[in-house]
Amino acid sequence: MRKLVTVLGATGIVGSKALEIVRKNQEKFHVIGISGHSNISLLVRFALEFAPKYVVVSNLLLRSELEQKLNNVDVEILCGEEGLAFLASQKTDILIAAITGFAGFEPIFRAINSGTDIALANKEALVAGGHLLMPLAKKKGVNIIPVDSEHNAIFQCMMGQNWSDVDNITLTASGGPFLSMNSNETQKIPPSEALKHPTWSMGAKISIDSATMMNKGLETIEAAWLFNIGKEKISAVIHPQSIVHGIVQFKDKSIISHMAPTDMKVPISQAMAWPERVKIEIKEIDFLEVESFNFLEIDASKFPCFELAYQLIEEDPCYSVALNAANEIAVHLYLDHKLEFGDIYTLVAKTIDMIEMTNLDDYQSIIDYDRYARNIAISMKF
Ligand code: NDP
Ligand code: MG
């Protein structure tokens, strides 16, 4: 039986790779719905190729363009946040959550509610709403399979293992493009430099997060929610070769780690096909070509965003909603040349200092609080 698949954020790097896996494994997967936000030409191409039942453009302004281009095609076209929520609510076998940022939170909430398993790339949704999404997934019997490479690595290391036997886990980080530079050198560095990731090809937002290492901070919060473990069991190290993606140490001091080529098709396909695997064709690791394996400490003075996020594990969820919201604003301003690289941290830290706490125990309160924190971040002057 083919798995029915929905791909949210189909036009992005992760979404496109998920569709490439479908393309090569048509006997295993069938696409029911796809979404995109601004890239209409790619969305149309995918709609024609995969003939899904539903196509969603979340940007309302592009509705008529999509309708025009799919005029004679037998497909249901939906738009805006409502369209996205509708698509996410359609029960399928697996939903690839590959929207970037908090925009992916509501669709994931809907999908879990409808009982669909999630292959989760969209870490921001879990950073902001993990305290709601994970218990809901448990209640609904929904599997959340990590796509983020480090978390997928830990997931794979834990196959056949018990969490009660685990001493700690380690996430690896490439170190981003500025590993050998100090904060004075990076303070005014332009987006064109920050977007050049040394080992991974990724969307703009996560590329900037990797340069500040906020990405690794967000990932420690993501790990805490995904694996239901405390801060004392989670750490991160820089591993510039990006070959080892995650490491688990057990109470008998055995260590199981996961290695794979630096290509997101590995974790995406594993999450999509789980509990099976599919064949993918990418360049294999040749160990004779690997000169060395290095593991370095993350320098908190150089990468304060990492430390800021890491400190928020197990703290009140208001902090991580605000962290994520302010970071999205800061990255956006930086990409628009309206904020300096070095001020991304300052904007996020100041926002967190200014928030007032409230209860975030339901879905709407998280949405409202994200907006509240964004407004604080936007009002900040530099
Ligand atoms: P991209 O920027 O390449 O893709 C983002 C996707 O989200 C696109 O389909 C985009 O549509 C859509 N989108 C953007 N804004 C909105 C919005 N407001 N509402 C609905 N949809 C929107 O990002 P990536 O694929 O690189 O990353 C996606 C997610 O996966 C992120 O959360 C990231 O952290 C995570 N991730 C990515 C990895 C990678 O290697 N790329 C690795 C691990 C995690 P359009 O392009 O049409 O505008
Ligand atoms: Mg990652």
Side-chain angles (χ1 to χ4, degrees):
M1 272 260 284
R2 291 193 298 178
K3 271 193 181 182
L4 303 183
V5 179
T6 301
V7 186
L8 302 186
T11 47
I13 301 272
V14 171
S16 299
K17 288 198 179 211
L19 287 175
E20 200 180 322
I21 290 156
V22 173
R23 183 180 294 123
K24 299 259 169 70
N25 295 278
Q26 303 210 19
E27 71 298 346
K28 295 248 184 221
F29 303 109
H30 176 66
V31 179
I32 290 294
I34 55 175
S35 87
H37 192 66
S38 60
N39 193 342
I40 295 295
S41 55
L42 189 55
L43 192 59
V44 167
R45 241 176 61 203
F46 286 154
L48 296 175
E49 179 182 352
F50 293 97
K53 191 168 176 204
Y54 306 104
V55 177
V56 177
V57 57
S58 39
N59 184 343
L60 280 171
L61 300 174
L62 299 175
R63 174 192 197 127
S64 54
E65 189 183 336
L66 182 66
E67 281 173 347
Q68 248 171 22
K69 291 192 167 150
L70 291 177
N71 190 19
N72 293 320
V73 182
D74 181 20
V75 63
E76 198 167 322
I77 296 175
L78 299 143
C79 306
E81 286 177 12
E82 259 177 48
L84 211 47
F86 176 87
L87 175 58
S89 305
Q90 305 306 302
K91 169 97 174 78
T92 54
D93 295 318
I94 188 114
L95 176 137
I96 323 293
I99 288 175
T100 188
F102 185 74
F105 170 69
E106 176 174 356
I108 291 172
F109 174 76
R110 302 276 174 206
I112 295 176
N113 257 317
S114 74
T116 295
D117 284 351
I118 316 269
L120 184 92
N122 180 203
K123 66 193 83 183
E124 296 92 341
L126 210 55
V127 168
H131 63 287
L132 182 87
L133 298 176
M134 292 312 292
L136 184 65
K138 196 171 177 193
K139 188 172 139 201
K140 297 276 179 183
V142 161
N143 296 299
I144 310 267
I145 306 131
V147 165
D148 209 348
S149 54
E150 301 76 4
H151 306 72
N152 182 268
I154 303 291
F155 180 80
Q156 296 203 41
C157 293
M158 287 306 296
M159 287 174 165
Q161 305 295 337
N162 293 318
W163 276 102
S164 56
D165 291 335
V166 171
D167 262 1
N168 53 58
I169 66 166
T170 306
L171 311 176
T172 60
S174 70
F178 305 144
L179 185 55
S180 57
M181 291 165 89
N182 65 40
S183 47
N184 285 337
E185 291 169 303
T186 56
Q187 172 66 26
K188 294 187 179 196
I189 206 140
S192 54
E193 294 297 312
L195 287 168
K196 285 183 198 153
H197 197 274
T199 51
W200 296 99
S201 146
M202 307 184 287
K205 198 268 178 178
I206 183 176
S207 295
I208 303 305
D209 285 347
S210 297
T212 59
M213 292 220 24
M214 177 63 90
N215 182 50
K216 209 49 54 184
L218 297 176
E219 288 184 356
T220 60
I221 302 176
E222 181 187 12
W225 287 122
L226 276 171
F227 306 126
N228 192 23
I229 51 174
K231 189 157 119 195
E232 77 291 348
K233 291 197 169 181
I234 305 169
S235 65
V237 293
I238 292 173
H239 167 53
Q241 292 81 12
S242 294
I243 293 176
V244 176
H245 302 290
I247 302 163
V248 179
Q249 177 172 278
F250 296 87
K251 64 186 179 193
D252 61 1
K253 311 305 169 211
S254 293
I255 291 172
I256 298 183
S257 73
H258 169 270
M259 290 185 242
T262 318
D263 190 316
M264 283 302 291
K265 270 186 259 170
V266 177
I268 297 169
S269 69
Q270 195 276 339
M272 286 172 70
W274 178 83
E276 296 175 16
R277 290 184 189 267
V278 290
K279 188 170 175 57
I280 57 169
E281 273 154 27
I282 54 174
K283 190 174 181 303
E284 291 168 24
I285 296 170
D286 178 349
F287 283 99
L288 299 179
E289 271 182 13
V290 180
E291 280 175 11
S292 58
F293 261 26
N294 302 109
F295 297 94
L296 318 162
E297 194 179 350
I298 300 177
D299 179 347
S301 65
K302 206 157 124 184
F303 297 111
C305 287
F306 168 75
E307 196 60 25
L308 181 65
Y310 180 73
Q311 292 306 332
L312 301 184
I313 301 173
E314 295 175 297
E315 294 296 333
D316 191 292
C318 289
Y319 289 117
S320 39
V321 177
L323 171 92
N324 180 65
N327 183 54
E328 285 191 32
I329 297 289
V331 170
H332 188 75
L333 290 173
Y334 172 64
L335 287 169
D336 270 0
H337 302 272
K338 291 179 180 149
L339 189 74
E340 287 178 356
F341 183 79
D343 289 334
I344 294 177
Y345 165 76
T346 319
L347 189 148
V348 178
K350 278 191 174 176
T351 302
I352 290 174
D353 275 348
M354 284 178 67
I355 55 171
E356 284 175 22
M357 313 306 279
T358 185
N359 264 342
L360 299 184
D361 43 18
D362 63 15
Y363 153 79
Q364 192 55 47
S365 62
I366 299 172
I367 302 262
D368 294 343
Y369 203 79
D370 167 75
R371 200 156 302 149
Y372 158 77
R374 273 166 207 267
N375 285 336
I376 295 179
I378 290 166
S379 69
M380 215 78 78
K381 296 274 177 286
F382 282 86

